[in-house]
Amino acid sequence: MKKRSTGLLIAVVALLVVQAGLQMRVFPLWQKNYAPKTATPVGLSPEQLLVAVAGFREFMAGILWVRADGFFDSGNYDAVLPMLRLVTWLDPHNLDVYATGAWHMGYNFTDEAQRSDRRYLLPALKFLEEGIQNNPNVWDLYFEMGWMYYHKIQDPVNAVPWMYKANEFENIIPARRHMLAHALFKSSQFDQAVNTWGRLLLDAEKERTKDWESLNLYDVRQKNLEDTILDILRRYGPNAETQPPIDMGFDAKVTVVRPRVILVEGTLNIPTIGARVTVILRNKGQKLDYTPKALETFTLEVDPNLTYMQDSLAVRDMKFRREIDMSKDPKMYSFKAPEYEVEFIFDPRYASPNIQDRIGSDGVGMTDRRYLDTSDPSARMLRKVVTITREEILMLRRGAE
Amino acid sequence: MNATFALAGATFGEAIRKRILLVILLAALVILLISPAFEPFAGRGQRTLVISFGFGIIQLAGTFIAIIMCTGLIPTEIERRTIYTILSKPVQRYQFVLGKLLGAIATLGFVYLTMGLMFLLITRWTLGEFDPKIVQGLIMFFFQSSLLAAVTLFFSTFVSPLVNYFLSGGVFLMGNLMSTFLDTIQRNPEVTPLTRIPVQILTVLLPNFANFNIQNPIINPEQVLTDEVAYLVQTIAYAVIYMVLLLVASILIFNQREM
């Protein structure tokens, strides 16, 4: 009896070792194929966790997502964010949640004057990066990332690699392919932009006669290719309309009119409408690093001590002027730092086409005696930085221009 | 071996006549049948709802049936004293335990076959397609429940049914979550080896039920899997080896038991 027990005990130990070896082989494959990747179940109540492990993950994620949408409709954005975290843990392949969640973070957290809280752009990019890690074989989130750079951050240079990646997929919506060419053009890679339009046109030509949609796609691509070539010829060809460069006479100033309220005004010698000057107020020296790698892991927290305001000012009659009130949103504009810099930027890449016809989309047709900035290889810009102190902006003492 | 199969057959016959198990099975079938009606509550299309909800119901029913059925397999025989009649015949103790486990697995096979057929009919009806991957998911859930049955049977050799409910349920929960925790810990550079190593050991020692949850890529078919066949084969082999391990451990304990 004792001998048999010893034999069984040895068998148990041997089997324990074998199953451990097998589990160690299975685990890396589980991590690759089935693990929720970087998301963790933090924030789930025990009953939610029970339901989640009981196999209703995607169903529960769907219910939570419907609920989150309800919060969004009622303007309760703060409640949306934790739900994003839960939903993506439960269902890491729910592309809608990643795309819509990043959009919420990037666009919908605003102050009283509908200015985005740009501190949330980094979490938005990190959230998209996590989505891409969990879904590397679908084009959607690569495109969303590219769009965030192209449209929200207005950084076409960093949009290009993501658009290239999205374009590698066969099943991408055909019209979405166009964004690569647009991003290339805006980042002054004109040859690649023309090549991309040409390639897209050849693709569309193959199925041109298939149906109305295919014919329309062909027409759109043909028109874009022609317009792009025409724009390049007019702006950069012989007898270019962008030459000689015009002096933009750019200047800007900041006046603190009330505590946390500034008046920004200036001049820009562009006689037509359609030009916009970007104004950024931020803690001195704290430029936002818009790369997903700037965050170790995705977090819903933003730096409460960072004040970062960005607005876009329309230029009319060669002047721009706006009063910016930051007194109603102390959570966004905490003014904890001792010094702030107010940066004024005119970026020709995002100017209207009629203005680009004169100065070029890369600013080749503009100059400025004082504020021309040529540090960005993709475009010449106008940039002026004004420093103000905390005392000045809070009007703790006089003299704040 | 005949005695083992006879015991397995008797266990199967007894299990499928148990009202509680039939009620769970019937409830699961009814919920599966009406599951498409829940569409307004889910955020993503009908495919997600039908497949996720269906798998959820099947897994939940399989889990409950495995635990409820197996907690009473050995204690009931002892309580009723029928075990003395059985063991007085030329039946070895190991044959008794093996027969009970095989009977439980056969019952689970019957349960999964019934629910699986209903599930396939529902998906064919609502989604207009037959996805063979669903069968893969069902097979994996069957092995998951069979492993849970082996765990519950193992505990039933030395604890009371009431304690066994909680013990088996707890092991199932932990076995489902340990991989996720280990994965999270491995990704976090701030976690010290003092925390990581015990979690690693526990993940390797405890039966890992999360290995069998393969439904997410079935719901999201755009995902490309690496070495899928190797994964499925190794995971089934893992289930079988762990069940044999638990069976041997159960026999070891049951042999020591005074009756």
Side-chain angles (χ1 to χ4, degrees), chain A residues 269-314:
Chain A
N269 291 342
I270 289 182
T272 60
I273 59 164
R276 297 192 81 86
V277 170
T278 302
V279 58
I280 298 168
L281 180 145
R282 59 173 173 254
N283 291 11
K284 192 174 181 186
Q286 267 189 277
K287 275 194 174 183
L288 284 180
D289 177 7
Y290 290 126
T291 54
K293 294 281 170 280
L295 278 180
E296 274 282 324
T297 51
F298 171 73
T299 170
L300 299 168
E301 301 294 321
V302 292
D303 182 357
N305 296 326
L306 173 64
T307 295
Y308 199 101
M309 183 285 301
Q310 183 169 328
D311 207 343
S312 178
L313 315 171

Side-chain angles (χ1 to χ4, degrees), chain B residues 23-199:
Chain B
V23 166
I24 295 172
L25 179 61
L26 200 66
L29 292 174
V30 171
I31 296 171
L32 276 175
L33 195 65
I34 61 167
S35 62
F38 291 105
E39 195 182 354
F41 298 106
R44 301 172 68 195
Q46 204 176 30
R47 182 184 171 82
T48 309
L49 171 92
V50 171
I51 300 181
S52 167
F53 196 74
F55 272 136
I57 287 293
I58 289 172
Q59 193 183 21
L60 199 64
T63 303
F64 274 115
I65 288 173
I67 293 179
I68 292 170
M69 174 175 59
C70 292
T71 42
L73 280 183
I74 292 175
T76 313
E77 298 281 4
I78 296 170
E79 210 175 282
R80 285 198 218 138
R81 297 176 186 275
T82 43
I83 194 163
Y84 301 112
T85 321
I86 296 166
L87 294 181
S88 63
K89 290 174 179 165
V91 174
Q92 298 292 317
R93 286 191 180 200
Y94 81 87
Q95 287 177 312
F96 176 76
V97 179
L98 179 61
K100 287 285 171 190
L101 181 63
L102 289 179
I105 291 171
T107 310
L108 286 170
F110 168 76
V111 164
Y112 271 95
L113 193 69
T114 316
M115 291 193 294
L117 283 173
M118 174 66 91
F119 188 36
L120 287 171
L121 277 175
I122 295 290
T123 49
R124 177 75 185 84
W125 170 47
T126 52
L127 307 176
E129 60 176 9
F130 168 72
D131 187 352
K133 292 240 170 193
I134 290 175
V135 179
Q136 263 181 24
L138 290 169
I139 291 171
M140 295 306 269
F141 280 161
F142 164 69
F143 277 100
Q144 187 183 51
S145 295
S146 299
L147 180 56
L148 180 60
V151 170
T152 314
L153 188 75
F154 167 69
F155 286 136
S156 77
T157 56
F158 60 93
V159 295
S160 68
L162 187 66
V163 176
N164 198 352
Y165 282 124
F166 293 103
L167 212 52
S168 304
V171 168
F172 183 71
L173 265 181
M174 279 187 77
N176 257 304
L177 289 174
M178 286 312 286
S179 291
T180 309
F181 284 139
L182 179 62
D183 187 49
T184 309
I185 281 170
Q186 282 184 341
R187 283 168 198 281
N188 189 349
E190 286 170 20
V191 174
T192 59
L194 207 65
T195 312
R196 197 178 57 244
I197 290 167
V199 174

Side-chain angles (χ1 to χ4, degrees), chain A residues 23 31 40 58-59 91 93, chain B residues 44 52 59 183-184 211 216:
Chain A
Q23 170 58 20
Q31 273 181 315
T40 50
E58 294 77 13
F59 178 68
D91 186 0
H93 304 296
Chain B
R44 301 172 68 195
S52 167
Q59 193 183 21
D183 187 49
T184 309
N211 288 345
N216 200 284

Side-chain angles (χ1 to χ4, degrees), chain B residues 220-235:
Chain B
N220 301 280
E222 66 274 12
Q223 202 191 355
V224 176
L225 302 176
T226 317
D227 297 331
E228 194 186 359
V229 176
Y231 180 82
L232 297 177
V233 170
Q234 286 175 14
T235 306

